[in-house]
Amino acid sequence: MAYAELCALSNFTFLRGASHPHELVEQAHHWGYQALALTDECSLAGVVRAHLCARELGLQLIIGSQFKLDNGCHLVALVTDRQAYAELSGLITLARRRSPKGQYQLRMEDLRFRLKRCLVIWLPDGKADAWEELVLELKRSFADRLWLGISRQFAAAESEHWRNLERLSREHQLRRVACGQVEMHCRKRKAMHDVLAAIRLGRPVQQLGKQLAANAEACLRPLHELAQIYPDELLAETLVLAGQCRFNLDELRYEYPAELVPSGMKAIDYLRQLAEQGSRQRWPGGMPQRIRAALEKEFVLIEELGYEYFFLTVHDLVRYARSCDILCQGRGSAANSILCYCLHITEVSPEQINMLFERFISRERNEPPDIDVDFESQRREEVIQYIYRKYSRKRAALAATVISYRTRSAVRDVGKALGISLEQVEQLAKSLAWWDRKRDLEQRAEQIFAAIEPHLLQHFLRLVMEIQGFPRHLSQHVGGFVIARDQVSDLVPVENAAMPERTIIQWDKDDLETLGLLKVDVLSLGMLSALRRTLALVQGYDARLQSMADVPREDPQVYAMLSRGDSIGVFQVESRAQMSMLPRLQPRCFYDLVIEIAIVRPGPIQGDMVVPYLKRRSGQEDREPPSAALKEVLQKTLGVPIFQEQVIRVAMVAAGFSGGEADQLRRAMATFGKRGDLQGFEEKFIRGMLKNGYSLDYANQLFDQIKGFGGYGFPESHSASFALLCYLSSWFKCHHPAAFYCGLLNSQPMGFYSPSQLVQDARRHGVQVLPVDVLRSDWESTLEGANPPALRLGLCRVAQLSEAVGRRIATVRNQCPFSSPRDLARRAAVPRDQLQALAAADALASISGHRYQSHWDVAGIEPTRPLLADAGEPRADLVQLAEPSLAQNIAADYTSTGLSLRPHPLALLRNQQPFARCKPQSELKGLSNGRYVQVAGLVTGRQRPGTAKGTIFLTLEDETGNINVVVWKRTQDHFREALLRAQLLLVKGRLETDGRVIHVIAGALQDYSDRLQGFEIRSRDFH
Amino acid sequence: MLWLALRFTALPDDPDEKTELLKYLASWAYNYTPYIKRYADDSLLLEISRCLQLFGGVESLGQRLQASLDGLVSHYRLGLAHTDKAAWLLSFQSHPLSDADSQDVFSARLQQVPLDKLIEQPRAVAQLQQMGLRRLGDIWHLPPSELGRRFGTSFVDYLVQIQGGAQAPPETYQSREHFCRQIAFASPLDNRSQLELPARQLLQQLIDYLLAGQLQCQEICWRLYSAQGAQQEIPIACSRVHHRWDLLFELTRVRLERVELRFEVDRLELECRQVAAVELGNASLFPQAAAGRREEAETLVARLQARLGRRAIYQIHLQTEHLPELGQSLELPFTPMPSVEPAQGARPCWLLTRPQPVREQRGRLFWHGPLQLVRGPERIQGYWWNQATTRDYFVARRDDALHCWIYQNLSDRHWYAHGIFA
């Protein structure tokens, strides 16, 4: 007996399907089904995942979808061939595009006119009287492509329903086919199915009664069970339909937009022409022969695989951005090429780094090339609009990101679905720190849900784990565009995103990659914005610097600064981990930065590559690679593999892998732990190395390093692109600090540090920072004076102030300065709430006296009456209020601008206990290693890197600098609350220092946040 | 005028309970003054200038008040001042009540009041705090015109009310609608039947009270007291009685028959706390059968409840549940019926209270005779959050042509009979 399931929905029918697509495929394969149709409701979002699994298992996957029409009719459409696929994709697009996100709308006419090739199964429900009318319409629309779907799920009154269907089929000569109407892959998912219904309906399972499924029969059932409940002919009919559905997703081919090539020219020739033009700019003296040969190799591969249009598309975007003076930079594996350097997609020259051809595009992999282009964050939208203009919305759409359940959302939704009180659910959800693991969840749930019956708690925990990873809805990808020659919707359905005027496709980037479809990543990078602004500011007082190219290279002062760990605000090396690595690594040239960026990554850290590299660099260890071939690969990184390319090369030269195989090894490492297909590679790798004469020990050691490296390492080109921005930002920080910090502040939000931390750092570097002032500030922060310039904070720092008002104030003031708050309100038409925002930020001090007086003055301004507009100033107020205290001003500064230029709060608390006993950051340098210390500061950062085995790193800020605190796991458990919530923290612990890098290893944490409030409240409230 | 503020700091969270308690406290305060106001959701303001003479001055009144109040609530604060709002504000400070306190003293104390206590003007207060103004004294002397310009005249008026400008005469306290009367006997009664006559008198008084106020009662409570202070309570539920004293009397008699007197009764008290406005409909010219039947049914149910107990009479409601035993529920009489679609498929009209085991012998089923499966199965699986259940239901025919509803429990494979078809 054979069977094909023709109606199954996955969890991509959100909050209804209770199984992942791959689970359905695996189960169907396990039961020996001939085929499985994935028919999510008005969606193809899950088909690629199902396809991937079906391809591996060799199961026939039928693409389809099911719909509830506006007349209540329930239909399943199955794809027969490529054209039918385009029909279905187009129909889903139509139904989705006319409804808000997450909904759809379809009428019978839509199907009649658009589905000309798909097979249609009708699943009649409700009362039989209503069928008569429908059946005629359906027969007219689909003729011999129509079947009557018969389901057996042991429901109440099912036999009557069957008899009615039999009669219907007899009277109208409709063919019948067995149809499982599957919503889960096995019966065990019934609880999950019920919980999803509860989430969808917004009521706990206990109250849903018959709104839940009566049983778990909507699952994939073994063939012998099916044989018992369906007549043979109904089962046999499933194979008839499956036989007609021959479409396979692998048939989808991307068709590139054709207009990029001048007519009459071949794409490859045009690409060659562009590359030639570019190369003349790159090498005015002529391209070196070695590089020309490599470029030729790239062209051959591009032409062979047909990727000319991809490079042309990316080139077009980059060309547009450059023409509008938008900074951009490419990265990604395919950007690692001479071609991209010639096309100005990347700025790192092939002479600076090793470009590995195998990493460029691989023949074996049959995958589209990967180039991400970063644009200035504040101007990326212009590039996106260019894409829409050039290709239209029909031809360009954003890739989706599948938003899935994570621990907190799972706790909330499952808790509510099980009828647990909202307060308890919220309490549990909030008590979970982002670093908690499964065991922590269990412990916390047991504590908080103490009154809940143990077996319900067990269900809760199991369901919370099970629902994690279930897709919840589709959102837009950060910038991955799919651009098609004709219509995107022929390829994949398009639907509305939550953002108005945005459309997304139903597949995410992994789906696109699986099918080998091309996407262009238009990403945003705050640092590019910051650099452009910084350059413009510097040009304001130093005409010598016309472009980034004028920045002097290899400046020793820059490397000296970085070697001190002085890198706040600098691209890529400003994190705590990077800051403590810099003094150890002591970068002295550009390539050191490339290494610095790549080495502080989970891959090299887990692969135990950091310590050996540092030891060899400082001359404490000297180990030559055991062969000349390996030496050549690893020489630049002192025998330690740090970049992805090196892993590939090592596999090639030492273990005899082909280029493609080595790249497959890299990809297997990326998914290591998720799938576990690394073992085959390990044997081959070790065998290969032994064959080439290496010792077993060395082979094992090298493979372990590679395994630990996983997918979390940078390719060299990527690191080099970042190193370039790192160098540029360091140079500006070193030589033009005021312009640098000003550029950073104007490009917020970005980077690792808050504006307050940046301002503190700027002042520690001697930059004079001036407060927000309506008589001086523009909307953005600006520079004032020269030699050296001071940094004037912009009106944009004022909380609640709108940009339009801020810009208007600057424009009007430049015509004539304001004489009073009333003058400001009148001339710049500033409404009352905006005046209050300015007063709160102390931006009116220069025309009002002080913050309190500003508030008083602003409150007294009445709305202008047109007739009296020119009646002049009313009499001056006689009321003069007292000035705020320093502490009051500091507290108000933080509330209204997020930073304060007055003394640090710690400076005010320093002479009080227990802070008087604490060492300020500036004094830590003089202390010896291992000494007991107490430190205190505002908690400005909490970090728990995945590589640090549960350790949490805190950054405390006091009036002299930032203190790094290390909190081991055991200390965390003891002081969980303080760790999670404290704003002002006192840490008692041991100092760990090697003279360059200083850490405090926490022994005890105390939360003194109330002292911060105390200092607000004590001055404000008198009980 | 002189105002005493009672601010209760540990009232129940539940709004209904809180209101009840405050009502009760207001009726308690009525023992001291008729001028009582509720304020700020947690306080009572008493105007006491007119009863000072009676109670011998502020201090003595304060002592009596506190002595009595200590037995009623656990946490409260007192404030004394020349205006109601000032008294409330001063309840946040701790000053002993003194006859010597004058308006000047109160004014001086008010200067120290933090602005955030001015709860009637939160927006103005937030703005004033931004100006660095923290206490009432900080704004006391600011020009009223400037304050008015910034925060509106209502804010200035509010300040005037605190300071003691024009004050409206205090309103008198309206007691709650609540009936409670007693009859004391010349000599203690030891026989239930002797209680009937006084009970009848009290019920007639209650009906007079209800008619006068256009009220109806839902529950009455009899209290019997002994001369030594022992107490016995007999609550009686009734359904919306407006004028039928005879019904109440009958219900009372039925209940009394079933009550053991624990002591000789010195006093009889009738209390009716739950009263509501009567729903008086227009009388129809011709009597309407349905309305009459409903009243009759209500009377019958009330009688049955009085005899059998309130929880002995039920109404059956259908529930939308897959599991048959959960498909109906017992509710109190006259609760509105939910609209539920009847279950699809075969459902017997008699569902057994407990499923009864069906014997299985050599592949055949027996329940008071051999059974043959004629329809099924209908599978019900779920309820995992309570007790996971998987059953296959069948219609089976017995030799005597009885059709019954049986199921197989799929977890242990045992068979049970669950219902009988007509």
Side-chain angles (χ1 to χ4, degrees), chain A residues 147 166 176-178 230-240:
Chain A
W147 275 263
E166 241 176 83
R176 293 180 304 154
V177 64
Y230 288 109
D232 290 347
E233 65 271 20
L234 295 195
L235 296 174
E237 192 70 18
T238 60
L239 304 182
V240 173

Side-chain angles (χ1 to χ4, degrees), chain A residues 118-138:
Chain A
C118 286
L119 308 184
V120 175
I121 303 173
W122 177 31
L123 296 162
D125 42 19
K127 292 218 167 99
D129 324 344
W131 298 350
E132 287 300 322
E133 206 177 311
L134 279 175
V135 71
L136 297 176
E137 197 175 357
L138 285 165

